[in-house]
Amino acid sequence: MKKAVACYLSIAMSVCMMAGFTTMAAEDSALERIKERGTLIVATDAAWPPFEYMKGEDVVGADMEVAADIAEELGVELEIINTAFDSLSMYLENGEADLAIAAITVTEDRQDTMEFSEPYCDTYQYIVVKEDDENVECINDLAGYIIGTQLGTTGDFLASDEVNMGVLSGTGATVQQYKDLTVAAMGMDAGDVQAIVCDKLLAENICANNENLKCFEAVYEDGSSTKEQYAIAAAKGETELIEKVNEIIKPLKEDGTMDKYILDHSEKASLANEE
């Protein structure tokens, strides 16, 4: 009987110790895990030049320069996961990535599930149409159009919201979602869509690399704009990591380094598409 009790107590103590270790591990912050691991894992979608795009087998771009700066300041290596944009939040929630850096626009819905850094870039939604299309000057003019978007982006949300319940509701306008804006541009060339709605720099890149297209800011008929801000995301509750990120990116914004990254990669992305 004594042996049975002793065995029971030993098992109970082991369970308690294991629970204690599990709790301690759960209490480790993302910043602590990054430093212990020696690697910063960043999830992105390399289909957003000049912010992230493929050069051979490497993911490069303005955002990846920032990711490298963050890793260097933390004293760790950088690992990049290239995935679909609409799955970025899942990688953060599952702990498979520490940060998501992919020209992510801050929205109220996203703030419910992710922590965001201070914005590092302002942008606007743009409309891309054929060069000879004189009918579209604002969002309201997309009535009856098939509008190409990239799934899960703010351009997708904007177009879908307007078609479903906004200024384009009941006009015959529809949304065609793509996984990649390059494919959306091919869809326009094939006549599958008559317009694309996406972020400013992405629209400019599409026009720079596809003939007979033009782009302009997506404003409403009353002149109101669609200004947005990009920020770096972490899992909900990882405020310590985000505070460190803010500390690192602040001088990059103030001394013009961030703008230089964007300009440099705008040129490099265009050259890469010409090769």
Side-chain angles (χ1 to χ4, degrees):
M1 183 65 181
K2 288 181 180 179
K3 288 182 180 180
V5 172
C7 182
Y8 174 81
L9 290 174
S10 176
I11 294 171
M13 288 175 66
S14 297
V15 171
C16 288
M17 288 176 68
M18 290 175 64
F21 289 138
T22 303
T23 302
M24 289 172 64
E27 289 176 353
D28 284 349
S29 69
L31 189 55
E32 290 170 331
R33 292 195 296 272
I34 291 166
K35 292 183 177 180
E36 289 171 4
R37 188 196 307 132
T39 306
L40 172 68
I41 304 174
V42 171
T44 192
D45 178 5
W48 299 73
F51 293 96
E52 37 273 321
Y53 57 100
M54 297 302 297
K55 184 177 181 182
E57 296 182 356
D58 298 323
V59 180
V60 297
D63 280 347
M64 298 304 96
E65 300 277 10
V66 176
D69 287 338
I70 294 171
E72 183 178 358
E73 285 294 323
L74 294 177
V76 298
E77 298 296 316
L78 174 64
E79 178 183 332
I80 298 171
I81 297 174
N82 184 20
T83 186
F85 188 87
D86 59 350
S87 68
L88 293 175
S89 60
M90 180 187 69
Y91 276 83
L92 295 178
E93 291 171 12
N94 294 344
E96 297 177 73
D98 306 305
L99 296 173
I101 312 180
I104 304 172
T105 298
V106 181
T107 66
E108 289 185 8
D109 286 344
R110 288 173 180 165
Q111 285 177 315
D112 288 339
T113 59
M114 294 184 278
E115 298 290 344
F116 280 101
S117 70
E118 291 296 320
Y120 63 85
C121 179
D122 292 346
T123 189
Y124 301 83
Q125 287 301 307
Y126 262 46
I127 296 171
V128 181
V129 293
K130 291 284 185 69
E131 184 70 50
D132 59 359
D133 189 335
E134 302 297 333
N135 298 317
V136 180
E137 295 182 354
C138 66
I139 294 171
N140 305 63
D141 294 332
L142 293 173
Y145 276 52
I146 303 174
I147 306 165
T149 65
Q150 182 170 2
L151 180 66
T153 64
T154 48
D156 182 25
F157 299 152
L158 172 69
S160 297
D161 285 349
E162 296 304 341
V163 166
N164 292 328
M165 63 189 77
V167 298
L168 298 176
S169 177
T171 68
T174 58
V175 174
Q176 176 64 54
Q177 297 169 317
Y178 294 90
K179 281 285 188 180
D180 191 312
L181 285 175
T182 302
V183 181
M186 294 170 60
M188 177 174 283
D189 187 57
D192 297 331
V193 297
Q194 289 82 50
I196 295 172
V197 175
C198 60
D199 291 4
K200 176 180 184 290
L201 289 172
L202 305 178
E204 291 175 343
N205 184 72
I206 289 173
C207 292
N209 293 287
N210 294 274
E211 294 182 354
N212 304 318
L213 298 181
K214 63 182 178 181
C215 63
F216 43 87
E217 185 181 346
V219 297
Y220 290 91
E221 200 169 49
D222 63 3
S224 55
S225 78
T226 57
K227 181 179 177 179
E228 301 172 3
Q229 293 182 308
Y230 293 157
I232 296 169
K236 194 68 178 176
E238 295 294 354
T239 54
E240 182 186 13
L241 176 56
I242 287 298
E243 287 171 4
K244 187 63 179 179
V245 168
N246 284 335
E247 180 184 318
I248 295 169
I249 68 173
K250 183 178 180 181
L252 301 180
K253 294 189 295 180
E254 292 178 346
D255 66 10
T257 298
M258 195 80 73
D259 293 335
K260 183 177 183 300
Y261 286 159
I262 294 171
L263 289 172
D264 286 350
H265 281 282
S266 292
E267 296 176 6
K268 291 176 181 177
S270 294
L271 290 172
N273 281 323
E274 292 174 4
E275 293 177 356

